[in-house]
């Protein structure tokens, strides 16, 4: 490709001498195809119901708020209640996701705009791909129905996840993503965002402050059924 | 201060044509770049402008997603004590068909800059470093002198190995000497990098290549000559400490001493308080 590339590869090959080139290539191919997991944490060796509780506990430990609803139809009221409790306007940008489209928003006080967020949108609602109980981490997979900017631009990020989408470990997430995108032509989504709590920094006088460049608040709504 | 920074920088993120980020990992299996931040600055940089350029050293390549997650489990814990940083982002290219946002173009620049020549060298293991900063927090020298004293991007124990490794020992041969070799950096390192061993390697190379000042080399040679003659060494040290404690008895310290000017120019030297450890040991063993 380029001269620099060749020079780098020559030095790398010189630095790591190997006697059997074909065997080395085979080992690499097997390694990449095998998806061999490292050590998995003991804390996730529990049933699905306990994983949901563990997720909520871990997410709350990093300043996210979590609420549970019984069905997707309860979402508009749940979000409106949350915003009212924070004294925030009932206006939001919402991801054009089929699961969110199927909800009747007109019955609530919520005013939702189905598009990618603009610079002055204060609230953004997005649909998660999954959530990892291990550390209370949300998994957002970018695509036409889930713009990645929704997770970063609005001050308040509201994320919707189904209880059945809560999984134990990060590796479970990659297995799900690999099979979800099989056949779509692209192996994985363009952007996968793992989100654990709100935007934060300790850079100013080593004091923890939240809401640096990303959202100041993260609210997670767990839908128990479907 | 934070609110101001948010307003000023948000404007910049929205206006920029090109966003340049680094990468914590590059994944061979999938061709993804990974950035880990707590602020979300990296994400705005790579999501909002039309072009995203990721610049990363070739040592950032990790074989699989599974390997990356194993490292992710130790990264934030070793860096800030968090279980996971706020934002971990995997990028695999530019905007796709139907996408409402994201950069139109995505370009990755792989940087060697001295890294490939470390392969097969005594400091090869430093390429495993994930820049968590754990060794800095554990280092008693770094704790006293702070980061700027190291004079380059990387400070602390990892800087004392990386800077001479990448820039050449002649540029930074004093850094490996700024260590007590206490070994805490190696003890806490999540990637198990034997930093003290590498510092010793550089010290040997410094002397072997004649970079160490002649006075230091002569001093150490003289010390080695005495140290390999235990009887003479003990006689000389007990004589020296005897003389020093005699002269320093009144004040308990010296403000100036011949041949120790570099030390006494900035601080006093404490006067020896009695017999040496070895002579005390010998006396107690007898009684």
């Amino acid at each position: 490709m380029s001269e620099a590339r060749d020079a780098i590869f020559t030095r790398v090959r010189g630095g790591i001498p190997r006697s059997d080139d074909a065997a080395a290539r085979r080992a690499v191919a097997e390694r990449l195809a095998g998806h061999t997991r490292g050590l998995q944490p003991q804390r996730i060796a529990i049933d699905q119901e306990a994983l949901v509780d563990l997720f909520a506990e871990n997410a709350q430990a990093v300043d996210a708020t979590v609420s549970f609803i019984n069905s997707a139809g309860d979402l508009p009221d749940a979000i409106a209640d949350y915003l009212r409790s924070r004294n925030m306007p009932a206006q939001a940008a919402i991801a054009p996701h089929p699961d969110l489209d199927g909800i009747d928003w007109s019955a609530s006080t919520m005013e939702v705009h189905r598009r990618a967020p603009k610079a002055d949108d204060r609230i953004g609602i997005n649909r998660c791909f999954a959530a990892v109980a291990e550390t209370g981490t949300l998994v957002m997979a970018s695509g036409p129905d889930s713009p990645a900017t929704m997770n970063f631009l609005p001050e308040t990020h509201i994320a919707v996840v189904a209880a059945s989408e809560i999984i134990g470990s990060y590796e479970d997430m990659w297995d799900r993503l690999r099979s979800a995108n099989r056949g779509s032509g692209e192996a994985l989504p363009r952007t996968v965002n793992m989100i654990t709590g709100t935007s934060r920094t300790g850079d100013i006088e080593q004091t923890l402050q939240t809401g640096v460049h990303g959202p100041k608040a993260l609210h997670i709504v767990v839908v128990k059924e479907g | 201060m934070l609110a101001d920074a948010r307003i000023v920088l948000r404007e910049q993120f929205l206006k920029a044509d090109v966003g340049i980020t680094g990468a914590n990992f590059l994944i061979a299996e999938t061709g993804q770049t990974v950035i880990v931040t707590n602020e979300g600055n990296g994400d705005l940089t790579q999501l909002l402008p039309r072009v995203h350029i990721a610049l990363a050293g070739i040592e950032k390549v990790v074989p699989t997603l599974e390997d990356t997650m194993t490292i992710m489990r130790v990264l934030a814990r070793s860096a800030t004590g968090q279980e996971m940083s706020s934002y971990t982002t995997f990028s695999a290219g530019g905007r796709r068909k139907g996408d409402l946002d994201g950069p139109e173009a995505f370009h990755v620049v792989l940087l060697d800059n001295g890294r490939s020549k470390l392969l097969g060298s005594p400091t090869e293991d430093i390429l495993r470093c994930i820049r968590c900063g754990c060794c800095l927090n554990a280092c008693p020298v770094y704790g006293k002198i702070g980061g700027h004293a190291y004079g380059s991007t990387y400070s602390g124990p990892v800087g004392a190995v990386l800077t001479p490794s990448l820039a050449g020992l002649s540029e930074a041969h004093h850094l490996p000497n700024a260590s007590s070799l206490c070994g805490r950096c190696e003890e806490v390192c999540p990637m198990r990098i034997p930093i003290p061993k590498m510092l010793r390697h550089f010290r040997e190379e410094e002397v072997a290549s004649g970079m160490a000042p002649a006075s230091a080399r002569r001093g150490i040679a003289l010390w080695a000559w005495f140290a390999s003659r235990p009887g003479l060494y003990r006689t000389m040290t007990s004589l020296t400490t005897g003389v020093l404690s005699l002269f320093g008895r009144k004040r308990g310290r010296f403000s100036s001493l011949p041949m120790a000017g570099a030390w006494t120019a900035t601080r006093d030297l404490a006067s020896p308080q009695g017999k040496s450890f070895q002579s005390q040991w010998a006396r107690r063993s007898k009684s």
Side-chain angles (χ1 to χ4, degrees):
Chain A
M1 220 146 87
S2 69
E3 257 175 65
R5 185 179 192 269
D6 292 339
I8 292 172
F9 273 116
T10 306
R11 281 196 298 270
V12 169
R13 289 197 185 100
I16 320 172
R18 53 189 186 192
S19 48
D20 187 349
D21 203 50
R25 280 173 191 278
R26 226 173 15 250
V28 170
E30 276 167 21
R31 179 71 184 277
L32 296 190
H35 306 318
T36 311
R37 293 184 178 194
L39 193 66
Q40 298 290 289
Q42 189 67 42
R43 65 167 89 154
I44 57 166
I46 47 178
D47 65 21
Q48 181 63 24
E49 209 170 314
L51 279 181
V52 173
D53 291 340
L54 179 65
F55 167 75
E57 190 186 310
N58 283 334
Q60 282 161 345
V62 286
D63 295 336
T65 49
V66 183
S67 69
F68 289 88
I69 56 175
N70 285 321
S71 75
D74 300 337
L75 193 60
D77 284 337
I79 293 177
D81 285 348
Y82 166 77
L83 293 174
R84 201 174 303 119
S85 74
R86 298 267 162 149
N87 207 18
M88 297 194 67
Q91 288 169 340
I94 190 167
H97 192 283
D99 293 351
L100 302 173
D101 287 345
I103 297 167
D104 180 15
W105 294 88
S106 63
S108 74
T109 53
M110 285 295 298
E111 179 189 324
V112 291
H113 302 280
R114 196 177 164 278
R115 51 168 166 73
K118 292 178 182 167
D120 53 359
D121 279 323
R122 291 184 63 191
I123 296 140
I125 305 172
N126 207 349
R127 180 80 175 87
C128 303
F129 174 80
V132 183
E134 180 178 345
T135 45
T137 300
L138 298 174
V139 183
M140 318 298 296
S142 81
D145 54 10
S146 177
T149 45
M150 198 67 90
N151 313 323
F152 294 97
L153 273 185
E155 266 171 32
T156 298
H157 179 206
I158 299 175
V160 182
V161 66
S164 60
E165 292 164 341
I166 294 176
I167 50 182
S169 72
Y170 310 133
E171 287 82 352
D172 293 342
M173 159 186 94
W174 292 116
D175 282 350
R176 281 202 177 198
L177 275 165
R178 283 182 184 120
S179 53
N181 276 51
R182 194 162 289 159
S184 71
E186 302 278 0
L188 289 168
R190 184 199 88 223
T191 305
V192 177
N193 294 114
M194 295 176 71
I195 299 176
T196 313
T198 49
S199 163
R200 60 191 56 219
T201 187
D203 283 355
I204 303 172
E205 296 189 335
Q206 307 211 330
T207 308
L208 183 70
Q209 290 182 289
T210 55
V212 193
H213 296 297
K216 294 177 179 174
L218 172 62
H219 183 61
I220 303 165
V221 183
V222 180
V223 186
K224 286 191 170 169
E225 290 166 14
Chain B
M1 200 193 279
L2 185 72
D4 271 351
R6 185 182 168 100
I7 292 165
V8 171
L9 290 171
R10 179 61 68 95
E11 196 63 33
Q12 301 289 328
F13 286 128
L14 289 163
K15 269 201 318 218
D17 289 320
V18 179
I20 303 174
T21 68
N24 290 76
F25 309 106
L26 307 166
I27 305 176
E29 177 197 348
T30 57
Q32 290 164 305
T33 66
V34 185
I35 59 165
V36 182
T37 79
N38 275 315
E39 291 95 340
N41 52 342
D43 288 283
L44 292 179
T45 303
Q46 67 177 45
L47 269 177
L48 296 173
R50 286 190 297 119
V51 178
H52 171 208
I53 299 172
L55 170 68
I58 53 170
E59 86 281 19
K60 304 280 181 194
V61 177
V62 173
T64 64
L65 283 166
E66 278 72 13
D67 295 323
T68 311
M69 297 333 288
T70 300
I71 300 173
M72 282 304 304
R73 286 198 179 92
V74 297
L75 176 59
R77 284 179 172 94
S78 305
T80 55
Q82 289 168 287
E83 295 214 315
M84 187 79 169
S85 297
S86 300
Y87 303 114
T88 303
T89 299
F90 298 75
S91 308
R95 189 183 288 214
R96 291 182 189 167
K97 200 168 166 250
D99 277 358
L100 302 174
D101 57 14
E104 288 158 28
F106 173 59
H107 188 68
V108 182
V109 180
L110 292 173
L111 177 75
D112 184 336
N113 198 24
R115 287 160 176 84
S116 61
K117 73 170 199 281
L118 298 185
L119 289 168
S121 84
T123 59
E124 172 185 77
D125 289 338
I126 203 70
L127 295 173
R128 282 209 300 273
C129 175
I130 54 173
R131 313 286 191 267
C132 67
C134 196
C135 58
L136 277 62
N137 291 336
C139 179
V141 175
Y142 174 85
K144 283 281 179 229
I145 67 175
H148 290 293
Y150 290 81
S152 81
T153 313
Y154 302 110
S155 55
V158 64
V161 176
L162 259 180
T163 307
S165 293
L166 297 178
L169 188 57
S170 58
E171 296 298 311
H173 62 95
H174 57 290
L175 289 183
N177 289 297
S179 167
S180 63
L181 296 179
C182 71
R184 281 186 72 191
C185 47
E186 182 177 359
E187 221 170 87
V188 298
C189 177
M191 301 304 285
R192 298 194 179 147
I193 300 171
I195 294 175
K197 196 180 89 184
M198 299 179 199
L199 295 174
R200 276 196 297 274
H201 157 77
F202 278 131
R203 289 184 185 189
E204 284 167 15
E205 204 175 292
E206 184 196 27
V207 172
S209 63
M211 268 176 232
S215 57
R217 274 178 292 151
R218 272 201 300 273
I220 288 171
L222 187 68
W223 179 83
W225 188 86
F226 275 112
S228 55
R229 290 161 179 81
L232 188 60
Y233 186 84
R234 274 198 292 278
T235 314
M236 287 305 288
T237 46
S238 70
L239 201 68
T240 314
T241 49
V243 170
L244 282 178
S245 66
L246 192 70
F247 280 98
R249 188 176 294 157
K250 214 169 178 185
R251 285 184 70 216
R253 60 197 160 85
F254 297 93
S255 307
S256 71
L257 260 185
M259 296 195 331
W263 178 280
T264 54
T266 50
R267 54 244 191 263
D268 289 348
L269 181 75
S271 153
Q273 295 299 303
K275 300 272 181 209
S276 72
F277 174 82
Q278 289 214 10
S279 61
Q280 290 185 65
W281 181 267
R283 195 174 41 123
R284 285 186 197 190
S285 306
K286 260 184 236 160
S287 62

